Amino acid sequence: MDDNRVYILGGYQTDFARNWHKENKHISALMREAYYGSIEAVNIDPSDIKAAFVGNFASELYCMQGHLGAFFVDLDSCFTGLPTCRFEAACASSAVAILSAMAHINAGIYDLICLIGVEQMKTVDSAKGGSFLGAAAWYENEADGIEFPFPKLFGKLGDEYDKRYGLDDAYLAKIADINYTNARNNPNAQTRNWFMNYEHANTVGKYNAPIYGKIKVTDCSQITDGAVCLYLASKDFTEKYARQRHFDLNNIPYILGWGHTTAPIEFAKKIADSAKNEYVLPVTRQAILDAYKRSNIKDCWDLDVIETHDCFTTSEYMAIDHFGLTKPGESWKAIDEGVIQMEGKLPINPSGGLIGCGHPVGATGARQILDAYKQITGTAGDYQVNGTKRVATLNIGGTATTNVCFIVEKCPLHH
Amino acid sequence: MDDNRVYILGGYQTDFARNWHKENKHISALMREAYYGSIEAVNIDPSDIKAAFVGNFASELYCMQGHLGAFFVDLDSCFTGLPTCRFEAACASSAVAILSAMAHINAGIYDLICLIGVEQMKTVDSAKGGSFLGAAAWYENEADGIEFPFPKLFGKLGDEYDKRYGLDDAYLAKIADINYTNARNNPNAQTRNWFMNYEHANTVGKYNAPIYGKIKVTDCSQITDGAVCLYLASKDFTEKYARQRHFDLNNIPYILGWGHTTAPIEFAKKIADSAKNEYVLPVTRQAILDAYKRSNIKDCWDLDVIETHDCFTTSEYMAIDHFGLTKPGESWKAIDEGVIQMEGKLPINPSGGLIGCGHPVGATGARQILDAYKQITGTAGDYQVNGTKRVATLNIGGTATTNVCFIVEKCPLHH
């Protein structure tokens, strides 16, 4: 069982505040910086890499470029002849790349995989970019001709919570505030220097325009250019890697368990299906439960930190009860009691999440895993949650259509 | 070793002559027909399916739709909650999906995977479609502002053969003729009723316009709408499946070996790199050699049939010597001697290949594997090569940037 562990050797995140189009740089430049940054950060010998995977949502639309796996060879000639592949599941693209990397490692096919999650989104204006994001939903049915389809779809998630359980907008404002606050401590966060506070997030008007339902500008994640490069390895490789560098194997995090589920792509169908379920998005809940089960952990209180997919404040509100911090529909209690804040019982998104750190769509799942690595190895700097030994991530694609939950820890774990 | 075999239980191919946009149908309709056709053809109990993978190149561009994995749930509610993912490596997209399916099966994660390769390309005119294909190359450097970039790039492959070894255009015309001839016997081939013969293919002019270098219209594969659904399974699952249906396990094909390599994405770089190599595309050659090695076979004469990636006649010309039918640069000899024809020593593309059967980009790798299955199980109908026990496939993405070779056989094999 232990021999089947997939280890995370570390990685590198680009500064999510940058605009690479304005710098006149191609999407492969994002990959290049993440790759060379990671080689240095992780102290990898490139000749040890056996395969290279890339998670990306829609570079065909944003950059008129497909076949991103092939760009590894352009980054470094050591990739010539190696296997490469691009993986896509909308905003969960790098999470599904990680799952396939794990499968290849577990099958004994490759022992060290270089994995980049990347998205360059600032190549187009926000209306066009919003329309491109519609390709993550059922475009013809849910996005065609609709301005900013995703804020509207996640606005409906807020409406559904309100209808079933009641939802005061002030709690969503608090979620935005916490993510922006955390992001201030993250040197790679897009919004680290932005003005934001709870009062501002809780105001609707000229400086915080309403979009749909409960979603205002401050309830949205960012349009972000970014790349994250990770190294995933077998136990055998990791032992050798640690020995050669005089690292303690017990300080290298590994993926303990995971869940991966798919819900109907249309949001209205999801909600119709869950009408009689106590969870608004039971297929998302299932991915979390599957991860708990495969990790042999009881519930969320066996976790120290969660990095979740707050593409909107409503999706984080959903994550709170779906992870089991509260009973279904009572996420507001965890917010009220300060549970999810940095100093709380179970901090969510110390990185700032998608709202604060930024959301380069195809990179987000990899960024979450890199942040899990940082928290567990005590290298998260000013956004470190002290004593973190186990982290959960939740990466969702579309309107919680693809759902991937990972549990990351280090050994030995004495909880 | 044998227990690690990944079996092919069969599948279904849509009629590649259809135009689904003219039928006013969404890309998910292609997936739907392939899926339900395959359920009947393969006699699968949908509740046995553990995961669903899709290979697709650029539905974002052709159909303004990403996140194709999620559409499985729309096809059949049995997919609700299952893991799904989309895989992309340009024209080798479904080959890389198959490789990840094999990894998941070999790792013991899933024992039965439903895999669809799909592309809907007739949504746009040919100039726009040609431009979209440019996203499989380095778009900015090789395709931007260039009309029909791919025929030009593969024209350069012909030029390179001519320069190094001499290449008479008549051999390319013969390759086109053989593919069109074979396609006439394939009830799903796009060109099965088209007028074509060697004289026509060997003429340049009003009815066979030159495009670039040695590439005329008849040297090109087709713009095609198509989907192929396959089932890949573990040995344990296949034994149970065969027993329940009173099938002989020894008649069910499996993947014996594979190779997967990546070359520099830019064609000029590939050619510069190979200047001193006897093979024009040594990284493609390596994928084939890796497949031979993993299959423990000596050379191409241990094969009965090859299904190769003839996106242009020049890429089939390249495949002939790269598979080892002739010495490097002497592919014309195999054509001259009739080796690659239906009745030859090693027939290539009994299906008609990409030129005759059609080339729905993201479906081609899966179509090749389905044709390997048909040949080996003796169910290829009028394009059956009698006595076929072992088939090689070669699926390439971009200008032979991603290269995937599979060897498929059935057991016991007495050659």
Side-chain angles (χ1 to χ4, degrees):
Chain A
M1 186 61 192
D2 279 13
D3 287 342
N4 238 0
R5 279 180 185 161
V6 172
Y7 283 80
I8 304 158
L9 306 187
Y12 180 89
Q13 176 191 337
T14 63
D15 178 354
F16 282 6
R18 287 170 66 184
N19 180 326
W20 294 65
H21 183 67
K22 280 202 178 155
E23 296 179 29
N24 202 22
K25 285 180 178 153
H26 187 256
I27 187 167
S28 63
L30 277 143
M31 295 173 67
R32 182 177 300 275
E33 177 161 320
Y35 169 68
Y36 283 101
S38 71
I39 287 291
E40 195 185 321
V42 186
N43 189 11
I44 283 285
D45 177 349
S47 70
D48 282 334
I49 299 169
K50 302 300 192 309
F53 289 179
V54 58
N56 170 266
F57 165 47
S59 62
E60 293 89 346
L61 295 173
Y62 289 103
C63 307
M64 191 58 194
Q65 186 60 61
H67 210 172
L68 287 189
F71 282 89
F72 280 101
V73 180
D74 185 66
L75 304 185
D76 188 338
S77 62
C78 83
F79 289 104
T80 306
L82 291 194
T84 60
C85 181
R86 175 265 193 120
F87 300 81
E88 186 264 327
C91 316
S93 292
S94 51
V96 293
I98 291 166
L99 286 163
S100 268
M102 291 169 66
H104 280 86
I105 291 167
N106 282 334
I109 300 170
Y110 307 124
D111 61 1
L112 177 65
I113 295 177
C114 175
L115 188 149
I116 293 180
V118 63
E119 205 84 50
Q120 184 179 15
M121 306 177 73
K122 291 179 176 173
T123 51
V124 295
D125 63 43
S126 67
K128 201 163 184 179
S131 166
F132 289 170
L133 288 171
W138 188 318
Y139 190 81
E140 278 189 14
N141 297 352
E142 297 182 289
D144 198 9
I146 294 170
E147 204 181 7
F148 304 116
F150 263 86
K152 284 171 186 159
L153 290 163
F154 278 95
K156 288 177 184 168
L157 177 61
D159 295 344
E160 191 63 25
Y161 262 98
D162 202 14
K163 192 177 117 192
R164 294 196 196 182
Y165 296 108
L167 170 55
D168 184 336
D169 293 11
Y171 292 111
L172 301 180
K174 187 65 190 168
I175 286 173
D177 177 43
I178 293 169
N179 281 297
Y180 276 101
T181 300
N182 294 350
R184 245 165 244 134
N185 298 317
N186 181 348
N188 289 316
Q190 183 170 3
T191 71
R192 60 190 185 263
N193 298 318
W194 294 12
F195 167 79
M196 181 57 54
N197 60 30
Y198 171 73
E199 287 65 36
H200 184 76
N202 201 30
T203 305
V204 190
K206 188 173 164 189
Y207 298 108
N208 195 13
I211 300 177
Y212 179 92
K214 295 175 178 298
I215 302 295
K216 310 174 291 293
V217 167
T218 52
D219 293 293
C220 302
S221 57
Q222 310 309 322
I223 302 294
T224 310
D225 292 345
V228 171
C229 186
L230 292 176
Y231 293 88
L232 299 171
S234 68
K235 189 174 185 188
D236 281 354
F237 181 89
T238 306
E239 282 173 343
K240 192 181 66 175
Y241 165 87
R243 201 167 49 241
Q244 288 171 345
R245 288 157 187 79
H246 309 291
F247 292 167
D248 180 357
L249 184 67
N250 289 333
N251 282 333
I252 302 180
Y254 53 85
I255 297 171
L256 178 64
W258 53 275
H260 177 195
T261 62
T262 316
I265 190 166
E266 289 178 288
F267 187 73
K269 176 83 165 74
K270 288 182 184 79
I271 295 303
D273 282 2
S274 78
K276 289 177 180 169
N277 196 300
E278 57 185 338
Y279 289 93
V280 177
L281 297 172
V283 179
T284 306
R285 168 80 174 158
Q286 191 59 50
I288 295 167
L289 290 180
D290 289 350
Y292 287 171
K293 193 177 171 190
R294 285 195 177 95
S295 303
N296 199 26
I297 71 172
K298 205 169 80 269
D299 57 31
C300 68
W301 307 114
D302 285 337
L303 303 168
D304 299 308
V305 165
I306 291 173
E307 280 285 336
T308 199
H309 196 96
D310 56 318
C311 46
F312 298 91
T313 52
T314 51
S315 41
E316 181 165 334
Y317 193 85
M318 176 278 293
I320 294 170
D321 62 349
H322 283 57
F323 265 108
L325 276 70
T326 69
K327 289 182 190 163
E330 298 184 357
S331 301
W332 59 271
K333 284 189 181 173
I335 301 166
D336 236 13
E337 294 164 6
V339 172
I340 65 169
Q341 291 171 232
M342 276 301 274
E343 62 282 6
K345 192 175 164 195
L346 181 46
I348 295 185
N349 293 352
S351 68
L354 287 63
I355 290 172
C357 183
H359 184 27
V361 170
T364 285
R367 196 273 306 153
Q368 291 176 331
I369 292 294
L370 180 58
D371 272 321
Y373 169 92
K374 288 178 180 173
Q375 291 294 343
I376 289 168
T377 54
T379 56
D382 290 343
Y383 63 104
Q384 179 70 45
V385 176
N386 290 327
T388 299
K389 288 178 173 163
R390 196 185 276 148
V391 178
T393 66
L394 177 65
N395 188 202
I396 64 178
T399 51
T401 305
T402 296
N403 305 276
V404 182
C405 178
F406 290 111
I407 312 285
V408 183
E409 69 166 24
K410 71 175 173 183
C411 179
L413 184 68
H414 305 294
H415 234 80
Chain B
M1 186 65 190
D2 281 12
D3 288 343
N4 238 1
R5 281 180 183 160
V6 171
Y7 284 81
I8 304 159
L9 306 186
Y12 180 90
Q13 176 192 338
T14 63
D15 178 354
F16 281 6
R18 288 170 66 184
N19 180 324
W20 294 67
H21 184 66
K22 278 202 178 154
E23 295 178 29
N24 202 22
K25 284 177 179 155
H26 187 258
I27 188 169
S28 64
L30 277 143
M31 295 174 67
R32 182 177 300 275
E33 178 163 319
Y35 169 68
Y36 282 101
S38 71
I39 287 292
E40 196 184 322
V42 186
N43 189 13
I44 283 286
D45 177 350
S47 70
D48 282 335
I49 299 168
K50 302 300 192 308
F53 288 179
V54 58
N56 171 266
F57 166 46
S59 62
E60 294 87 347
L61 295 173
Y62 289 104
C63 308
M64 191 56 196
Q65 185 61 61
H67 211 172
L68 287 188
F71 282 91
F72 280 101
V73 180
D74 185 66
L75 305 184
D76 188 338
S77 63
C78 82
F79 289 104
T80 306
L82 291 194
T84 60
C85 182
R86 176 264 193 120
F87 300 81
E88 186 263 329
C91 315
S93 292
S94 50
V96 293
I98 290 166
L99 286 164
S100 267
M102 291 169 66
H104 280 86
I105 291 167
N106 282 335
I109 299 170
Y110 307 124
D111 61 1
L112 177 66
I113 295 177
C114 175
L115 186 149
I116 293 180
V118 63
E119 205 83 51
Q120 184 178 15
M121 306 176 75
K122 293 180 177 173
T123 50
V124 294
D125 63 44
S126 66
K128 200 163 185 178
S131 165
F132 288 170
L133 287 170
W138 188 317
Y139 190 81
E140 278 188 15
N141 297 352
E142 297 183 289
D144 199 9
I146 294 171
E147 204 181 6
F148 303 116
F150 263 86
K152 285 171 185 160
L153 290 163
F154 278 95
K156 289 178 184 168
L157 177 59
D159 294 345
E160 190 62 25
Y161 263 98
D162 202 15
K163 191 176 118 194
R164 294 195 196 183
Y165 297 107
L167 170 54
D168 184 337
D169 294 12
Y171 292 110
L172 300 180
K174 188 63 189 169
I175 286 173
D177 178 43
I178 293 170
N179 281 297
Y180 276 101
T181 300
N182 293 350
R184 246 166 242 132
N185 297 317
N186 181 349
N188 289 317
Q190 184 171 0
T191 71
R192 61 190 184 263
N193 298 318
W194 293 13
F195 167 79
M196 181 57 53
N197 60 31
Y198 171 72
E199 286 67 35
H200 184 76
N202 201 29
T203 305
V204 190
K206 188 172 163 188
Y207 298 109
N208 195 14
I211 299 178
Y212 180 89
K214 295 174 176 299
I215 302 295
K216 311 174 290 295
V217 168
T218 52
D219 292 293
C220 302
S221 57
Q222 311 310 322
I223 301 293
T224 311
D225 292 346
V228 170
C229 186
L230 292 175
Y231 294 88
L232 299 171
S234 67
K235 188 173 186 189
D236 281 353
F237 182 88
T238 306
E239 282 173 342
K240 192 180 68 176
Y241 165 86
R243 199 164 52 240
Q244 287 171 346
R245 288 157 187 81
H246 309 291
F247 292 167
D248 181 357
L249 184 67
N250 289 333
N251 284 331
I252 302 180
Y254 53 85
I255 297 171
L256 178 64
W258 53 274
H260 177 196
T261 62
T262 315
I265 191 165
E266 290 178 287
F267 186 73
K269 175 84 165 74
K270 288 182 185 79
I271 295 304
D273 281 1
S274 78
K276 291 177 179 169
N277 197 299
E278 58 183 337
Y279 289 94
V280 177
L281 297 173
V283 179
T284 306
R285 169 79 174 159
Q286 192 59 49
I288 295 167
L289 290 181
D290 289 349
Y292 288 171
K293 191 177 173 190
R294 286 196 177 95
S295 302
N296 199 25
I297 71 173
K298 204 170 79 272
D299 57 30
C300 68
W301 308 115
D302 285 338
L303 304 169
D304 299 308
V305 165
I306 290 172
E307 282 284 337
T308 198
H309 196 95
D310 55 318
C311 47
F312 297 91
T313 52
T314 50
S315 41
E316 181 164 334
Y317 193 85
M318 176 276 295
I320 293 170
D321 63 348
H322 283 57
F323 265 108
L325 277 71
T326 68
K327 288 182 192 163
E330 298 185 356
S331 300
W332 58 272
K333 284 190 180 172
I335 301 167
D336 236 15
E337 294 164 4
V339 172
I340 66 169
Q341 290 171 231
M342 277 300 275
E343 61 282 5
K345 193 175 164 194
L346 182 45
I348 296 185
N349 292 351
S351 68
L354 287 61
I355 291 173
C357 183
H359 184 27
V361 169
T364 285
R367 197 273 307 153
Q368 292 176 330
I369 292 294
L370 181 58
D371 272 320
Y373 169 92
K374 287 179 180 173
Q375 291 294 343
I376 289 168
T377 54
T379 56
D382 291 343
Y383 63 104
Q384 178 68 46
V385 176
N386 290 327
T388 300
K389 287 178 175 165
R390 196 185 274 149
V391 178
T393 65
L394 176 65
N395 189 200
I396 64 178
T399 51
T401 305
T402 294
N403 305 276
V404 182
C405 179
F406 290 111
I407 312 285
V408 182
E409 69 167 25
K410 72 176 173 183
C411 179
L413 183 69
H414 305 294
H415 233 80

